[in-house]
Amino acid sequence: MTEMQFLARGIALAGCGIGAGCALIAGIGPGIGEGNAAAKALEAIGRQPECKGDVTSTMLLGCAIAETTGIYGFVTGLLLIFVAPGMFMRFLG
């Protein structure tokens, strides 16, 4: 293995690690958003207790949709950690 191939492998692995770290940061947004949604739902239920069922179902649907963003980031991070390095190493020879 030449020095250039060794350098290319190091850069590819570093890129995968940095990309995985950035992708896993995507879990912060849904956590904050779901916390805000729950707080506002509790405020709404406190003001009008008779609309508890509607507010709760809408909040749960919104939280489920927001959670998919975090799951996509998590899956992308896992792919960058476990799958992409092997693909890059085969490509680099």
Side-chain angles (χ1 to χ4, degrees):
M1 178 164 55
T2 67
E3 185 176 330
M4 190 62 109
Q5 287 177 331
F6 186 71
L7 181 63
R9 286 177 184 234
I11 290 172
L13 290 174
C16 288
I18 292 170
C22 291
L24 292 177
I25 289 175
I28 294 172
I32 293 171
E34 290 171 19
N36 287 339
K40 297 298 180 180
L42 289 174
E43 279 182 27
I45 292 170
R47 289 186 188 147
Q48 291 184 326
E50 65 273 3
C51 69
K52 179 181 177 182
D54 294 337
V55 171
T56 303
S57 63
T58 304
M59 181 200 65
L60 289 175
L61 179 64
C63 286
I65 292 171
E67 188 63 32
T68 59
T69 306
I71 293 171
Y72 291 148
F74 180 67
V75 169
T76 303
L78 287 178
L79 289 174
L80 283 170
I81 291 171
F82 295 111
V83 177
M87 293 174 59
F88 283 130
M89 293 311 120
R90 271 195 307 272
F91 178 72
L92 293 174

